[in-house]
Amino acid sequence: MQQLDHWFARQHPSTPSARTGDTRTPYQKDKARILHSAAFRRLQAKTQVMYIGMHDFPRTRLTHSLEASQIGSGLVIHFQHHQPALAKQLQLSEALIESLCLAHDIGHPPYGHGGEIALNYMMRNHGNFEGNGQTFRIVTRLEAYTEDVGMNLCRRTLLGLLKYPVLMQQVQRLQSPADVSDFRHLPTRDWLPAKALYHDDEAAFNWVLAPLSDDDKMALQQLAEQPSPKQHGKSRFKSVDAAIMELADDIAYGVHDLEDAIVVGLITRELWMAEMYDFLSELDSEFSDFSASALTDKLFSPEHYQRKRAIGSLVNRLVTSAQLEPNDLQFESPLLQYKTCLGQTEQRLLDQLKSFIFRFVIRKPEMQVQEFKGQQVVMEIFDAFAVDPLRLLPVNTQQRYLTEQRRQEEDGTGNPYRIIADYLSGMTDAYAARLHQEMFSVNSPLRINS
């Protein structure tokens, strides 16, 4: 596959005179734009799995993204060594995959998925909210690298960030749950967002897909599951770059977040033995160089380096089993023709680790208490902003709100509530908590912003 200019294209042409002598590749430039963005920096104070301030060891969204980036580049190197012809044909790039992994979580709001659910509820009548859709919105519109097209990344980079390349209205459940009269009564599992892009960003989505044939555009937006009255639909396909990024993210979540939970005592050896050991013992006969007993001893060893060795060996086992395989549907574009697959046993191992983390870390009552608290913070701030935006929003955000309000009045295309969601979702956990206290606590000292 020859690298066609349209995949290197940007929404706004670059200005060569501003960067004379710059010999970086387009993907290296994209990586730099992501690394130096405000949205990326804010990840240092956003929840990954364990809430900020609970402990000083666990990953934040920032360190998780850095680790996913390292795993992603490792996957590219693995493919280049084990499937060299295909990797060359697809022109797989370490810098590209690193960029995708670094950027994949920048749309997540404060308080992790709890904050995401809270914003989705508050945006239920205004186009909804979803973290991946917000990531696409940040890189194509919000981040202040350009006046109106965000980071102005390469088209292939943007295609790689489309983990769910469908619009919200294509996958939204057919019936919405009932509204609540009190935020504290919100049934959070009923308000999980559909995984999709916003209608507000359809023009940028169409620009990314423009080089594809009409057949490829339609096929890429096929659904694996159709929406029903009570369930969202699910997208089916993504580009090969997005598939590599997603696999790196899954490995980082399933393995590195396990380390965090062990170190802070959320997962004990007794729990591990009761819930994981029998499954791991089955792998003794399926892997030639695997021991459930040795892995357990290392994970729960008082010597930290032993646990590091165990974590590293798990990551290595998963990465080195990965393969690029043809997609389930024939596409014309090579970028859509392949997906990533782990070995069958390795996939079972990763699925088991992810399920274990979800059941015994994320769903743990002390974690859910923090999630509940964060959701109340997000919904109450949003509610106040929505009631009196031109009184409470910062001046520059007020201007964006007024612009959307005018567009809404003139031709119906504006969405002022999206501006409130943009502002609130960009906050770190600590900033949202402090703002909430300043707005609603009579004991909070007044603070004058210059």
Side-chain angles (χ1 to χ4, degrees):
M1 178 185 73
Q2 289 187 335
Q3 179 63 67
L4 301 177
D5 289 344
H6 49 234
W7 290 115
F8 278 151
R10 302 181 188 275
Q11 288 177 280
H12 276 190
S14 298
T15 52
S17 60
R19 294 288 188 272
T20 54
D22 190 346
T23 58
R24 293 174 298 168
T25 68
Y27 303 136
Q28 288 170 335
K29 293 176 184 177
D30 284 355
K31 180 181 175 182
R33 294 179 187 189
I34 293 163
L35 274 170
H36 293 286
S37 68
F40 181 74
R41 286 197 303 278
R42 290 191 185 105
L43 295 179
Q44 67 185 306
K46 289 192 177 187
T47 291
Q48 165 60 12
V49 169
M50 279 169 249
Y51 285 81
I52 305 295
M54 292 181 73
H55 303 278
D56 62 0
F57 177 85
R59 273 94 177 155
T60 63
R61 287 271 177 195
L62 180 71
T63 54
H64 161 75
S65 298
L66 291 169
E67 289 174 338
S69 176
Q70 183 269 326
I71 293 170
S73 78
L75 284 166
V76 171
I77 293 170
H78 170 73
F79 295 140
Q80 289 171 340
H81 278 78
H82 292 272
Q83 295 177 280
L86 183 54
K88 183 176 181 181
Q89 176 194 347
L90 296 173
Q91 297 192 9
L92 296 185
S93 161
E94 288 181 60
L96 170 59
I97 300 302
E98 287 170 348
S99 297
L100 302 181
C101 292
L102 291 171
H104 82 282
D105 266 354
I106 61 175
H108 278 276
Y111 304 109
H113 288 290
E116 182 182 39
I117 291 169
L119 276 177
N120 185 49
Y121 177 73
M122 301 308 291
M123 289 291 290
R124 63 195 180 280
N125 299 320
H126 309 289
N128 298 93
F129 181 89
E130 196 273 325
N132 296 281
Q134 191 68 20
T135 293
F136 185 74
R137 182 170 173 81
I138 288 170
V139 299
T140 59
R141 181 179 292 194
L142 300 181
E143 185 64 38
Y145 189 90
T146 62
E147 183 178 357
D148 56 0
V149 293
M151 296 186 194
N152 199 27
L153 303 177
C154 288
R155 184 183 260 122
R156 180 166 174 174
T157 303
L158 294 177
L159 181 68
L161 284 172
L162 296 179
K163 192 173 175 183
Y164 308 102
V166 291
L167 294 171
M168 190 67 70
Q169 59 264 39
Q170 295 173 256
V171 290
Q172 186 77 19
R173 58 186 288 181
L174 304 180
Q175 295 177 6
S176 295
D179 292 356
V180 296
S181 57
D182 187 325
F183 294 150
R184 295 181 181 180
H185 299 166
L186 186 73
T188 55
R189 308 319 291 176
D190 291 348
W191 286 97
L192 288 165
K195 303 294 186 183
L197 305 174
Y198 308 139
H199 174 72
D200 297 324
D201 301 314
E202 186 174 6
F205 179 45
N206 290 338
W207 181 86
V208 174
L209 301 189
L212 301 176
S213 68
D214 289 343
D215 287 344
D216 272 7
K217 290 177 188 176
M218 290 181 60
L220 179 62
Q221 296 177 71
Q222 282 190 15
L223 302 184
E225 296 179 18
Q226 295 294 325
S228 69
K230 294 190 176 182
Q231 294 290 331
H232 299 308
K234 292 182 180 179
S235 61
R236 181 180 175 189
F237 297 110
K238 55 182 67 68
S239 73
V240 65
D241 302 317
I244 297 171
M245 174 265 284
E246 182 178 39
L247 178 56
D249 182 28
D250 282 351
I251 293 173
Y253 165 69
V255 181
H256 288 302
D257 291 338
L258 169 67
E259 179 186 13
D260 284 353
I262 291 172
V263 169
V264 303
L266 285 174
I267 292 177
T268 63
R269 187 183 182 109
E270 291 71 27
L271 177 63
W272 178 264
M273 293 296 292
E275 298 293 335
M276 284 290 292
Y277 194 79
D278 287 347
F279 167 79
L280 293 171
S281 295
E282 297 174 10
L283 304 186
D284 284 351
S285 59
E286 298 185 44
F287 290 139
S288 59
D289 56 346
F290 182 84
S291 167
S293 175
L295 174 64
T296 300
D297 287 343
K298 288 180 179 178
L299 284 175
F300 294 94
S301 170
E303 303 292 343
H304 292 311
Y305 74 90
Q306 294 283 15
R307 184 170 52 254
K308 281 294 183 188
R309 286 180 178 176
I311 293 297
S313 69
L314 285 172
V315 172
N316 179 71
R317 183 175 297 279
L318 296 171
V319 168
T320 56
S321 79
Q323 292 284 322
L324 295 170
E325 295 184 2
N327 235 322
D328 302 330
L329 188 71
Q330 185 61 49
F331 287 90
E332 296 173 36
S333 171
L335 295 182
L336 306 181
Q337 289 174 359
Y338 294 91
K339 61 184 178 180
T340 58
C341 296
L342 295 180
Q344 186 175 7
T345 304
E346 287 83 1
Q347 186 64 59
R348 286 174 51 220
L349 172 60
L350 180 56
D351 291 343
Q352 195 77 9
L353 289 170
K354 289 168 60 181
S355 174
F356 181 73
I357 291 293
F358 181 78
R359 288 183 295 135
F360 296 106
V361 179
I362 293 175
R363 299 300 293 171
K364 207 173 180 69
E366 51 262 51
M367 302 292 288
Q368 289 301 300
V369 166
Q370 297 300 316
E371 179 176 296
F372 174 82
K373 222 163 46 168
Q375 286 174 329
Q376 305 309 304
V377 167
V378 169
M379 289 188 287
E380 289 177 4
I381 294 176
F382 189 105
D383 190 49
F385 285 157
V387 169
D388 206 345
L390 301 183
R391 179 186 182 192
L392 298 175
L393 289 171
V395 173
N396 61 334
T397 308
Q398 288 181 31
Q399 295 307 310
R400 293 183 57 228
Y401 183 93
L402 286 170
T403 299
E404 288 296 306
Q405 193 175 55
R406 282 194 295 270
R407 289 179 56 221
Q408 186 181 55
E409 293 169 354
E410 290 170 1
D411 58 14
T413 61
N415 186 356
Y417 289 94
R418 181 67 64 196
I419 305 306
I420 299 176
D422 289 341
Y423 177 57
L424 220 166
S425 67
M427 296 178 185
T428 63
D429 295 17
Y431 186 88
R434 186 167 67 250
L435 179 60
H436 183 272
Q437 184 179 29
E438 291 174 353
M439 293 176 71
F440 297 106
S441 173
V442 295
N443 296 320
S444 178
L446 291 176
R447 182 164 55 93
I448 305 298
N449 291 323
S450 57

